[in-house]
């Protein structure tokens, strides 16, 4: 056994990881979520808004991180639609526009057919320029956006009437997979205009630790990875989901099952590796 | 000339952006400079595309190792670019039915959408998913409690790994309310809120000082490394 573990082929580890992820997905392993303060803060920020309030939803991610960020983007869209907020979608990532399309089709068109494009929601699409875009639209939205994502002049879009900059938004919701993302929104929009703008965000697990320094002054709420998404999803569905919740609004909680088993597997592997290490140390193989 | 003009443009743009931040009446200058930057960023896509063609075409011409991958890259690039730009299979916009190109390139069901939905999306998602396998393998091979620092890191990793799942709640739910702070889910929050935030803030302050100093060097023309070596 010792020799087998010592010379363990990494393909065995890959197989174990495959099973750790596949089995909970196949058996729909799911656990209750206990929302932490940060997820509650995100929920409360949106709850505090009144119907008709404008909200900017910046979806700065791509299909690579869709598994981690997709569920929170879906829940954000659902929550805003349920609250009757006016949704302004935009993206700083080239494929972010497709992420917006997905959410509009999946949530708004499917479950809120009464909402009208141009009156209740608008897709401003992708703009190149990274933080340069934020720097401009925070004081002059029309300097960069002359059309929406589909080429329609924003002057002919009813909900764009009177919108000159994003400081008019009651809340900024950002879903971010990295650069440009939440850090840039905080640095170029929230920090210089902290009296006018408030922001909540959702991000990948790898970027979450870097965003904690902005909590709570610049960032009142933050959803870290799929765990944060699951907590927020639970809060929104408890408040608005009714008795029978659609499967698409359970994705984050469903993905917590594979995460639990995968994390336990990694812990198990580290423990086994360290037992081997100390056995070798006792034998004098390593120092 | 080749180096002096870019230096002047950089110094002037940087100065305008600094003035725009501190003097409200010059805010519109900053906006103009930033809009110019955004336009240049769009043009960078063309440069990026050109560079991609140049690098991979050279690799193919010299039959370097992996040249077949370069051929696939160039073929995929050309195909996607052609389908996207020519809007193949896209229906005209309802407002302009007579204009064949008035439809949107992302239209559902069009070939470009098909490439995104059935090639780009699964490929990028699969590549990212591979991380889970490599992380597990790396954890088994590299994570050793060799010294005090490694033990602290290992302990923190265990708490965070457990605290980000339901396992953390099950394992320490038996602790009385007076010791609630020791429950794994609460420990996770405190580690992130206190220890991680302190470390991250220190790193951020260091980075900010470095950025300020480097920016000043660039604006004053002391650091010219961004202009390249000048050699072809």
């Amino acid at each position: 056994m010792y020799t087998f573990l010592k010379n363990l082929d990494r393909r065995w580890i890959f197989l174990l990881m495959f099973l750790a992820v596949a089995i909970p997905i196949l058996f729909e392993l799911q656990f209750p979520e206990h929302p932490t303060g940060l997820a509650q803060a995100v929920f409360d920020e949106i709850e505090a808004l009144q119907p008709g309030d404008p909200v900017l939803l910046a979806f700065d991610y791509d299909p690579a991180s869709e598994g981690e960020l997709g569920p929170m983007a879906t829940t954000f869209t659902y929550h805003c639609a349920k609250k009757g907020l006016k949704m302004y979608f935009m993206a700083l990532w080239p494929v972010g526009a497709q992420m917006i399309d997905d959410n509009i089709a999946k949530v708004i068109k499917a479950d809120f057919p009464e909402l009208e494009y141009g009156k209740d929601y608008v897709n401003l699409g992708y703009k190149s320029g990274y933080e340069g875009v934020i720097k401009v639209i925070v004081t002059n939205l029309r300097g960069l956006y002359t059309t929406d994502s589909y080429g329609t002049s924003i002057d002919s879009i009813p909900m764009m009437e009177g919108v000159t900059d994003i400081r008019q938004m009651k809340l900024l919701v950002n879903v971010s997979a990295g650069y440009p993302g939440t850090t840039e929104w905080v640095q170029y929009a929230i920090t210089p205009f902290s009296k006018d703008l408030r922001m909540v965000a959702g991000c990948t697990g790898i970027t979450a630790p870097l965003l904690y320094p902005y909590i709570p002054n610049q960032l009142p709420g933050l959803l870290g990875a799929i765990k944060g998404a699951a907590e927020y999803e639970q809060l929104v569905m408890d408040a608005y989901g009714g008795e029978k919740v659609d499967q698409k609004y359970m994705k984050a909680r469903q993905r917590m099952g594979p995460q639990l088993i995968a994390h336990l597997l990694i812990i198990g592997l580290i423990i086994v590796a360290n037992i081997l290490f100390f056995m070798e140390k006792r034998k004098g193989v390593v120092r | 000339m080749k180096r002096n003009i870019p230096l002047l443009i950089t110094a002037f743009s940087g100065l305008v952006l600094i003035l725009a931040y501190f003097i409200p009446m010059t805010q519109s200058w900053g906006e103009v400079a930033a809009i110019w930057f955004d336009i240049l960023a769009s043009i960078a896509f063309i440069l990026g595309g050109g560079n991609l063609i140049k690098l991979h075409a050279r690799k193919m011409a010299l039959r370097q190792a992996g040249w077949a991958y370069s051929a696939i890259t160039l073929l995929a690039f050309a195909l996607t670019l052609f389908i996207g730009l020519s809007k193949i299979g896209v229906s005209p916009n309802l407002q302009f039915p007579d204009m064949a190109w008035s439809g949107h390139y992302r239209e559902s069901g069009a070939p470009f959408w098909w490439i995104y939905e059935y090639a780009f999306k699964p490929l990028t998602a699969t590549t990212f998913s591979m991380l889970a396998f490599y992380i597990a393998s790396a954890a088994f091979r590299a994570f050793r409690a060799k010294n005090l620092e490694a033990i602290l890191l290992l302990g923190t990793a265990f708490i965070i790994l457990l605290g980000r799942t339901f396992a953390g709640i099950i394992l320490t739910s038996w602790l009385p309310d007076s010791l609630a702070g020791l429950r794994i889910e609460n420990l996770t929050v405190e580690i992130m809120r206190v220890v991680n935030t302190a470390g991250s803030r220190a790193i951020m302050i260091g980075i900010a000082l470095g950025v300020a100093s480097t920016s000043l060097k660039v604006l004053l023309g002391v650091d010219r490394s961004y202009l390249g070596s000048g050699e072809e």
Side-chain angles (χ1 to χ4, degrees), chain A residues 5 8-10 13-14 17-18 31-32 34 36 63-65 68 94-95 97-99 101-102 123 126 128-129 132-133 135-136 139-140 143-144 149-150 152 192 208-210 212-215 224-225 227-228 256 259-260 263-264 266-267 269-274 276-278 281, chain B residues 17 21 27 30-31 34-35 37-39 41-43 45 93 95 102 104-106 112-113 116-117 120-122 124-125 128-129 132-137 139-141 143-146 154 157-158 160-170 185 189 192-193 196-197 200-201 204:
Chain A
L5 287 171
L8 187 67
D9 191 316
R10 65 178 181 168
I13 297 172
F14 292 169
M17 181 50 88
F18 171 73
F31 304 99
H34 298 261
T36 54
S65 38
E68 203 173 1
V95 205
Q98 274 92 337
M99 302 291 107
D101 287 345
D102 283 351
N123 180 2
Y126 162 70
S128 62
V133 174
K135 206 166 162 43
V136 174
T139 52
N140 180 11
L144 270 186
S149 186
Y150 311 106
T152 311
L210 306 171
Y212 268 73
Y214 300 123
I215 298 168
K227 167 77 172 151
M256 283 303 290
Q259 174 148 312
L260 168 66
H263 280 198
L264 290 178
I266 291 175
I267 290 173
L269 286 169
I270 295 172
I271 291 172
V272 170
N274 276 280
L276 291 173
F277 173 69
F278 283 110
K281 206 171 176 182
Chain B
L17 286 169
Y21 189 85
Q27 186 182 299
E31 278 171 16
I35 290 171
F37 170 78
D38 295 334
I39 295 166
S42 308
I43 295 168
F45 278 103
N93 189 318
Q95 288 178 309
S102 59
H104 198 260
Y105 73 98
R106 293 203 311 271
F112 188 84
W113 173 88
Y116 166 76
E117 200 67 27
F120 182 80
K121 205 168 157 179
T124 48
F128 201 69
S129 313
F133 297 95
Y134 291 113
I135 284 173
S137 175
F140 181 72
R141 301 199 185 281
F143 228 157
R144 301 280 187 274
K146 283 180 180 170
L154 210 56
F158 280 0
I160 301 288
L161 280 168
L162 290 170
R164 300 296 291 171
T165 63
F166 192 60
I169 295 168
I170 299 172
E185 70 271 24
V189 172
M192 295 296 283
R193 200 176 64 83
N196 160 72
T197 304
S200 295
R201 279 203 176 124
M204 280 168 74

Side-chain angles (χ1 to χ4, degrees), chain A residues 31-32 34 68 84 93 102 123 158 163 181 183 186 192 196 198 208 248:
Chain A
F31 304 99
H34 298 261
E68 203 173 1
W93 283 43
D102 283 351
N123 180 2
V163 178
T183 306
V186 168
D196 306 315
R198 285 187 74 76
K248 67 186 169 201

Side-chain angles (χ1 to χ4, degrees), chain B residues 178-191:
Chain B
S178 56
L179 295 173
L182 294 176
R183 287 180 187 154
I184 289 179
E185 70 271 24
N186 295 331
L187 276 178
T188 305
V189 172
E190 288 308 307
I191 288 171

